[in-house]
Amino acid sequence: MVALFISELHYIIPFYVNTSKISGLLLPLKQQINLLADQCVKCGMCLPGCPTYQLSHNENESPRGRIALMQGIVNDQLALSSRVIEHLDHCLGCLGCEKICPSDVQYQILIDAIREYTQTKQSPLTAKAQAGFISLFINPTIQNGLFALLRFYQFSGFQKLLRFSGILKLIGIDKQEQLLPKLQPQLTLQPRYSSTGDSLGTVALFIGCMGKHFEQSAIQASIQVLTRLGFDVEIPEQVCCGALHQHSGFHHQAETLAKTNMQFLQNNHYTAVLFTASGCGAQLQSSLKTSPLPITSLMDFILQQIKKTPVVFNAIEQHIALHQPCSLQNTLRQADAVTAMLTKIPGLKITELQSQCCGAAGKNMLTQADLAAQIRQPLLNQIPDSITGIVSSNIGCTIHISAGCHHKIPVIHPIELVAKSLQ
Ligand code: SF4
Ligand code: SF4
């Protein structure tokens, strides 16, 4: 009995930590971190799957090394120096480690918890300022204003002028500025779209806070495919998924956003809640564990539907490179659905890029642009010359990969190919 209990600890401890979070009976962070970190047996099997370790071959840049740093920090054996924080900040949250760890170490919970812990060690004013800055960035009014300015910046010729003048480099934002793809006009969405035939049900589409600015074509294609397959589509009132707050150590702010999104999930006339961006989907699934509705990736949902009601796909004679985001592969584990869907399209030649993080990692591509670009390079090296486009299911990855190709190769969401093929 005791042996059985010990052998099941790998499942029991994360379950306990998660349940204590959900029930509000939170363990102190130090105990949460120690409990989860003690699951690591320091075997090193995760090292080949860690992009930052592969780049640096520095143990402090590996999952095992970071777990040891976490243990040192919370047990007051290691000072919280800027160098230690940097090693933790470099973590991409890609979960390449969690996927291959034989001890089932819950690395995502650990890295989020240590970031929350380090936030509590900062001056409250600094932590408040950081959280406030992220909240400002996701505020819809501020966002709309900011993107209107960015469109003006691109269309007026200011972008060319500033790039040419060298000012951007002088003030140290040239690499961040180069990430900006050519912006399209902001999408105006109706709250509801009706199915083209008899309705099979209503689905809610989660587009997050950035979808309207960066994923206009993917959202339009999603509505087109879903209504064509017989679903009414609603775009409910929603706020940011909270991933930026969560992965920056601001758990409470992420929780507040989750509670707001929970309100539309209470609406039981939905068959499912679907998301286009896998990063938002991963955050929604983890923060809304008590959701009464299934929260699933758009491509997985469509794949299940066409298994029940087959449809005819028209040929698309193109060669594409397929990138599977870490959030889809390692967190949601629904990457296979994208491959399965795209292989149904006749004529489409697919080169699937090897499992490799693109380096975008939420805000890392902005705050650690050089490291993000180095992580991205092996992925770009795999892209064949003959391709006409790249496919990826996450906004951050799309932007970062597109910038890596100097925005010369279209990087699109897989749903856009499905929509084109069903036309
Ligand atoms: S594979 Fe798992 S147990 Fe082994 S060192 Fe990495 S995190 Fe620790
Ligand atoms: S989440 Fe990714 S970058 Fe971070 S330690 Fe794990 S494998 Fe390395």
Side-chain angles (χ1 to χ4, degrees), residues 42 66 69 78 86 114 134 150 174 203-204 229 242 263 305 318 329 332 342 377 421:
K42 311 286 188 286
R66 289 191 178 106
L69 294 179
L78 189 65
E86 197 176 78
I114 194 69
I134 300 175
L150 286 174
D174 53 324
V203 291
L229 294 179
Q263 285 166 7
Q305 294 312 312
Q318 265 190 44
Q329 285 193 67
L332 296 163
L342 294 182
Q377 198 52 49
S421 175

Side-chain angles (χ1 to χ4, degrees), residues 265-283:
L265 288 172
Q266 309 291 359
N267 189 337
N268 56 16
H269 79 265
Y270 293 135
T271 308
V273 178
L274 309 177
F275 49 83
T276 45
S278 58
C280 304
Q283 175 65 17

Side-chain angles (χ1 to χ4, degrees), residues 147-415:
F147 276 94
L149 280 177
L150 286 174
R151 283 186 192 97
F152 175 76
Y153 167 70
Q154 283 192 331
F155 297 137
S156 63
F158 257 123
Q159 184 175 41
K160 278 188 190 142
L161 189 71
L162 285 194
R163 281 184 175 183
F164 181 73
S165 69
I167 289 175
L168 297 170
K169 195 166 185 177
L170 206 68
I171 56 175
I173 58 162
D174 53 324
K175 288 171 189 145
Q176 288 79 356
E177 196 273 346
Q178 279 160 16
L179 291 172
L180 194 65
K182 193 163 186 319
L183 294 171
Q184 304 300 318
Q186 188 177 319
L187 193 59
T188 311
L189 291 164
Q190 295 168 209
R192 185 180 169 86
Y193 297 83
S194 299
S195 79
T196 53
D198 289 341
S199 176
L200 298 172
T202 304
V203 291
L205 194 60
F206 187 87
I207 58 170
C209 59
M210 290 290 169
K212 273 199 280 189
H213 304 292
F214 287 120
E215 277 205 317
Q216 291 97 329
S217 310
I219 294 168
Q220 282 167 322
S222 308
I223 295 168
Q224 192 185 324
V225 173
L226 288 165
T227 51
R228 156 88 168 72
L229 294 179
F231 289 90
D232 299 321
V233 180
E234 286 190 12
I235 321 280
E237 285 288 325
Q238 53 191 270
V239 292
C240 169
C241 66
L244 271 182
H245 282 101
Q246 178 70 26
H247 303 316
S248 305
F250 300 111
H251 174 70
H252 294 296
Q253 285 86 345
E255 223 171 34
T256 308
L257 292 167
K259 279 186 189 148
T260 312
N261 281 325
M262 193 66 162
Q263 285 166 7
F264 81 75
L265 288 172
Q266 309 291 359
N267 189 337
N268 56 16
H269 79 265
Y270 293 135
T271 308
V273 178
L274 309 177
F275 49 83
T276 45
S278 58
C280 304
Q283 175 65 17
L284 279 187
Q285 275 199 358
S286 86
S287 65
L288 300 174
K289 287 199 176 75
T290 52
S291 160
L293 295 170
I295 302 173
T296 188
S297 90
L298 179 70
M299 297 298 276
D300 194 47
F301 181 81
I302 292 171
L303 184 68
Q304 301 313 321
Q305 294 312 312
I306 61 169
K307 276 183 189 160
K308 289 183 222 160
T309 318
V311 290
V312 178
F313 287 98
N314 298 312
I316 298 178
E317 301 295 341
Q318 265 190 44
H319 180 190
I320 53 126
L322 174 59
H323 166 254
Q324 300 279 23
C326 303
S327 44
L328 195 63
Q329 285 193 67
N330 304 337
T331 314
L332 296 163
R333 310 214 174 171
Q334 290 183 332
D336 289 351
V338 177
T339 315
M341 274 303 305
L342 294 182
T343 47
K344 290 191 181 301
I345 300 175
L348 192 65
K349 186 174 168 202
I350 305 164
T351 297
E352 190 152 348
L353 303 177
Q354 265 177 33
S355 170
Q356 166 78 44
C357 177
C358 73
K363 64 180 173 41
N364 283 32
M365 64 177 160
L366 289 169
T367 55
Q368 303 173 30
D370 286 332
L371 177 69
Q374 287 174 55
I375 303 261
R376 178 182 60 193
Q377 198 52 49
L379 188 82
L380 298 180
N381 293 345
Q382 295 173 47
I383 298 175
D385 289 338
S386 56
I387 59 146
T388 50
I390 302 170
V391 172
S392 182
S393 306
N394 192 37
I395 298 179
C397 309
T398 304
I399 294 172
H400 200 224
I401 295 171
S402 177
C405 303
H406 307 286
H407 303 294
K408 293 209 166 105
I409 305 174
V411 187
I412 60 169
H413 193 284
I415 192 68

Side-chain angles (χ1 to χ4, degrees), residues 49-52 61-63 66 90-98 107:
C50 175
T52 53
E61 292 282 311
S62 77
R66 289 191 178 106
H90 282 175
C91 172
L92 306 156
C94 67
L95 299 194
C97 49
E98 196 174 290
Y107 189 83

